[in-house]
Amino acid sequence: MNAGTDTAPSGPDDEGRPDAGSSYRDNQQRLEQGLAFMGRVGGDVNVIIGAPPDEDVAESIVKPRLREGPYPADDVHARLRGFVEPPAYAQCRKVLDSHILLLSAHTGTGASTAAFALLADRYGAGGITGLDSPDDLSRWRPKEGRGYLLQGLSPRAAASLSEVVLTALAALLRRAGAHLVVTVRADTALPGDTAPWQVVHRPPSPDEVATKHLNAMAAAGELTPEQGADALGHLVSADFTGYLNERPLPRDGVEVAKALRDLALSGTPAASVLDELKAGGLSEARRALADSSHRADRLSLMAAISLLPGQDRTVIEEFSAMLRPRIDERGGPAGGMARQPEHIGTPGALPEGSHTRRDVLGPAFEDRLTAVGAHSLPLRFGTAQRYPVQPVAFSGRHRSEALLRCLWLDYEGMAGLLWKTLDEAPHHSGIELAAGQAIGKVLAHATGPGTLRQLHFFATSDKRWRRRLVAYALGEMVQHPALTGAVRDQLRQWSRAAPVPLRCTVAETCAGSYGLARPARALKLLDAVLDKPDPPLEPNLRSAVSFALSTLLSEDAHHALVFDQLREWQGADPGTPRHALAVHVLASMSSAAFPLPGAPGVRRVRLADLLADHPARAFDLVVAALDDPATHEATATGLSLIESDPDLRHRTGFPRFLAALSGAARNHRGVLRFVLRRHRVHTASSAEGFAS
């Protein structure tokens, strides 16, 4: 069985059909095992009976931090929770009165948060649109009266600015009723004549940020008044004041606030909280690695916890055991790590008075965790697993990220060992999300042409979990403005490649934060992915593209773009991958929902949803679908099911929609066929009722 529509229930002129409304809503069969078909099957059908282990992957959607398009209001509210005005905020407001502000800042100083606050003051939390950094800002035009935010102006775009360019752009913004804030890295040079639009950002003090966040937690009910007062009391103590004096960034204040919230809730000693805060830095990570440089058992465990955060202890143990001999070999034949005893304590020590006894058990897992500064977390029961999971974690909020970053970037060959072990390790659902995000965070700090090249081997894999890992890594990397262009170019190359797995990886990447952040670009990539002359459409590729479309449909702002793209694909030549994908989507929406039950999907859309929420686009799609022999039967059946359900008929305004279809029938053969068949069915039904 090959690619095609999954099901095609009986059409509107079938005699003796069951009540359509019931079949649409409630006609279900539940089986312990096996497969059930209801109604007539027309065309081909793809069936997957149980996903193989390598395909049982995480399909979590990570919301993007950086967007090219409207920012959801709740996202902006979350960013501004606990916001403290920086010292130059009043100056920023004054300069922004000219409709353009160039905000120069060092990384991590909170300039983006200040930019969101400036625009939200003028347009509200729902009135901010993100821009992708163009090479020439003079070519950009505001489309509506909103606040526009461009984060991380590229050096080329910065060099193209001038007083003439900004004056002309300010005039366009004024006419549109819009304002533009551009954040610029402090090391990016701006032309001298742009000075009137520039403000140098300085961060607010971290203790003010921590205070504001603790007050926000108390206001939200996360802390009782007593707990809030207790947390604020610790904040002004000498230990925490000294800690923040050494760390002047706003994010340090946020981390302290989170730590003090946990302290107030759990009663953890303040000294332990401070130790955990200090354990997350790069210098502490380098020191820990140096202290364990002669112990393959410890290094392998530290690497496993860092690369697979949140995974069950058995997964960590398994990965550590596979990585350990690879690290051991780095010690060479002279002994080094290869001859290190595998127990905690003095290397090589034997019980006093004994020369023959040896430890054949080795250290217990909890002892090994303690030795590397980690511990077990409480058991949890996730919805995806049918078994309890006990994750392990380091003491220190960001120690995992710091350790992996040092291992990956500072030690020759370690990145290769981790990739090789990850490639050979058995797959467990969830490791693609954990490892993908962890690797993405590391590669965001990498340099050179090999940064993205590291992902190629997994991107070309036949196993979906490896492709999902790459998708999560790219989704993390693209949140950093300096890497946006490189990721965009890499995806463009892969989308045009011949190997199907590479194109599947592109689609999987669009089915995540990259697609939600850049919906228009994602649809162009998906169009390129399907731009191959040789049919049929590969099932894996169809599934990946469908998942990407479902992800885009999870946010209402992208619906128009998706449906317009579907209409374009529907007009492609029959037999091409584009047309096959459109046929699959429309047939799925008509017969059940898109994506079909059991297929990867974030939001499932029915034909009735399309008619109710997007009547104009639904009309164009339905007319084209009825005119297309490949989708006529499924679409006709879907319309019949809607008409037979009183609730759906009312919700979709079906009589008006049907009248519009009848008006278009003269110029569309498929529509005329549907209208005439429907008329015959209703006439025959009326005659039978009269005769009886």
Side-chain angles (χ1 to χ4, degrees):
M1 294 180 283
N2 44 27
T5 57
D6 296 274
T7 58
S10 50
D13 58 346
D14 286 316
E15 298 180 2
R17 70 185 187 277
D19 175 64
S22 298
S23 66
Y24 198 88
R25 291 176 299 172
D26 305 316
N27 197 356
Q28 302 177 17
Q29 296 186 48
R30 290 178 172 83
L31 304 178
E32 293 300 323
Q33 59 183 353
L35 177 68
F37 285 100
M38 297 178 351
R40 188 179 67 194
V41 177
D44 297 331
V45 60
N46 287 293
V47 179
I48 299 177
I49 305 178
D54 287 332
E55 297 301 300
D56 183 19
V57 303
E59 290 166 353
S60 302
I61 305 302
V62 180
K63 290 290 186 178
R65 300 186 299 275
L66 196 69
R67 285 181 181 258
E68 180 185 348
Y71 280 90
D74 57 350
D75 185 357
V76 176
H77 282 304
R79 291 169 186 266
L80 297 181
R81 183 189 185 192
F83 170 68
V84 174
E85 293 187 3
Y89 197 70
Q91 183 186 2
C92 289
R93 275 198 295 255
K94 184 176 181 180
V95 172
L96 190 56
D97 288 339
S98 69
H99 290 267
I100 297 177
L101 167 65
L102 304 178
L103 193 57
S104 178
H106 290 280
T107 302
T109 55
S112 293
T113 306
F116 275 105
L118 288 164
L119 293 174
D121 281 345
R122 295 175 186 261
Y123 297 96
I128 302 175
T129 294
L131 303 179
D132 195 18
S133 181
D135 290 336
D136 186 356
L137 195 57
S138 66
R139 298 179 181 177
W140 175 76
R141 297 290 182 270
K143 295 181 180 178
E144 51 186 328
R146 295 175 62 85
Y148 291 94
L149 174 59
L150 196 166
Q151 300 186 62
L153 189 69
S154 69
R156 182 181 298 180
S160 72
L161 296 179
S162 66
E163 181 181 4
V164 173
V165 169
L166 292 179
T167 301
L169 187 55
L172 292 172
L173 288 162
R174 189 176 298 108
R175 284 198 292 270
H179 290 75
L180 171 66
V181 177
V182 181
T183 62
V184 187
R185 288 169 57 96
D187 55 1
T188 299
L190 288 166
D193 58 355
T194 64
W197 291 275
Q198 294 182 37
V199 174
V200 176
H201 171 78
R202 298 193 306 278
S205 65
D207 57 332
E208 287 185 58
V209 173
T211 301
K212 193 74 177 286
H213 272 267
L214 286 172
N215 287 330
M217 292 172 188
E222 297 175 21
L223 295 172
T224 66
E226 295 77 14
Q227 290 170 335
D230 183 47
L232 289 170
H234 282 292
L235 179 61
V236 297
S237 67
D239 288 339
F240 282 94
T241 301
Y243 176 83
L244 288 177
N245 284 338
E246 298 174 0
R247 294 163 178 81
L249 297 180
R251 63 187 177 197
D252 294 312
V254 176
E255 290 300 323
V256 166
K258 292 178 180 177
L260 289 175
R261 176 195 59 194
D262 296 344
L263 179 153
L265 292 173
S266 65
T268 306
S272 299
V273 172
L274 274 173
D275 288 342
E276 286 203 8
L277 285 169
K278 294 175 181 178
L282 287 174
S283 58
E284 289 80 6
R286 293 189 179 103
R287 188 179 306 116
L289 291 173
D291 290 343
S292 298
S293 62
H294 61 296
R295 297 294 300 267
D297 57 336
R298 294 186 183 180
L299 286 175
S300 63
L301 184 58
M302 293 163 76
I305 299 171
S306 301
L307 184 62
L308 303 174
Q311 292 299 291
D312 184 71
R313 55 177 287 167
T314 57
V315 178
I316 299 297
E317 283 184 284
E318 182 179 50
F319 190 89
S320 174
M322 294 185 67
L323 178 62
R324 179 176 176 175
R326 301 187 190 283
I327 296 179
D328 221 351
E329 292 170 0
R330 291 165 59 93
M337 290 185 293
R339 293 209 310 246
Q340 286 297 327
E342 302 173 8
H343 59 82
I344 308 299
T346 306
L350 291 172
E352 188 175 342
S354 171
H355 299 285
T356 58
R357 293 178 61 189
R358 58 192 180 92
D359 184 359
V360 295
L361 282 177
F365 186 66
E366 291 296 334
D367 294 335
R368 294 181 61 203
L369 290 179
T370 301
V372 299
H375 57 277
S376 296
L377 298 176
L379 286 174
R380 70 182 186 205
F381 295 83
T383 57
Q385 297 94 2
R386 300 178 181 177
Y387 45 82
V389 173
Q390 185 166 41
V392 297
F394 287 112
S395 300
R397 289 182 179 270
H398 298 288
R399 191 179 187 196
S400 180
E401 295 176 24
L403 281 170
L404 187 63
R405 179 176 167 184
C406 292
L407 273 174
W408 198 285
L409 301 179
D410 293 351
Y411 295 93
E412 181 182 355
M414 279 304 302
L417 291 186
L418 292 171
W419 275 121
K420 188 173 181 61
T421 307
L422 194 58
D423 176 45
E424 296 179 358
H427 174 252
H428 300 279
S429 182
I431 66 172
E432 57 279 340
L433 173 59
Q437 287 190 293
I439 291 171
K441 290 174 182 177
V442 167
L443 295 184
H445 298 282
T447 59
T451 299
L452 290 171
R453 201 176 299 152
Q454 296 183 49
L455 300 171
H456 188 267
F457 178 70
F458 269 40
T460 57
S461 174
D462 290 330
K463 296 183 178 180
R464 188 182 174 215
W465 76 267
R466 294 177 182 171
R467 303 194 297 268
R468 288 294 293 165
L469 185 151
V470 174
Y472 284 122
L474 290 174
E476 183 63 40
M477 294 171 70
V478 82
Q479 303 303 314
H480 300 266
L483 290 171
T484 300
V487 173
R488 183 180 61 227
D489 292 343
Q490 184 66 82
L491 288 172
R492 187 187 299 122
Q493 291 177 26
W494 286 352
S495 70
R496 298 169 180 170
V500 171
L502 263 181
R503 288 184 281 142
C504 286
T505 298
V506 174
E508 294 282 6
T509 305
C510 293
S513 57
Y514 185 91
L516 293 177
R518 296 164 178 80
R521 291 185 185 274
L523 287 169
K524 288 181 180 178
L525 287 170
L526 296 177
D527 186 64
V529 158
L530 297 173
D531 186 21
K532 297 298 173 186
D534 39 17
L537 177 59
E538 189 76 24
N540 286 343
L541 186 59
R542 187 187 69 178
S543 178
V545 174
S546 297
F547 186 33
L549 294 178
S550 170
T551 302
L552 291 174
L553 289 171
S554 68
E555 294 187 357
D556 293 344
H558 310 324
H559 282 201
L561 288 172
V562 173
F563 293 134
D564 288 345
Q565 185 66 75
L566 278 175
R567 177 66 188 87
E568 184 178 327
W569 287 343
Q570 195 178 19
D573 293 336
T576 61
R578 286 171 173 148
H579 181 261
L581 196 283
V583 168
H584 169 69
V585 173
L586 290 164
S588 299
M589 284 196 298
S590 299
S591 62
F594 169 78
L596 288 170
V602 183
R603 181 173 182 174
R604 305 196 186 275
V605 180
R606 303 177 301 170
L607 182 60
D609 301 324
L610 180 59
L611 266 61
D613 300 333
H614 305 276
R617 286 182 169 83
F619 180 80
D620 292 339
L621 278 168
V622 167
V623 167
L626 290 173
D627 279 348
D628 188 340
T631 50
H632 179 90
E633 290 297 331
T635 307
T637 300
L639 293 173
S640 177
L641 295 174
I642 293 172
E643 185 177 15
S644 301
D645 185 310
D647 293 336
L648 293 176
R649 187 169 64 246
H650 174 74
R651 177 172 171 248
T652 59
F654 194 79
R656 291 192 303 273
F657 187 84
L658 187 60
L661 276 183
S662 300
R666 179 174 300 177
N667 300 318
H668 296 276
R669 171 182 272 182
V671 177
L672 180 61
R673 178 186 170 198
F674 167 75
V675 171
L676 291 177
R677 288 169 62 186
R678 178 185 173 277
H679 177 72
R680 287 197 302 270
V681 170
H682 281 259
T683 301
S685 299
S686 299
E688 289 174 7
F690 180 78
S692 63

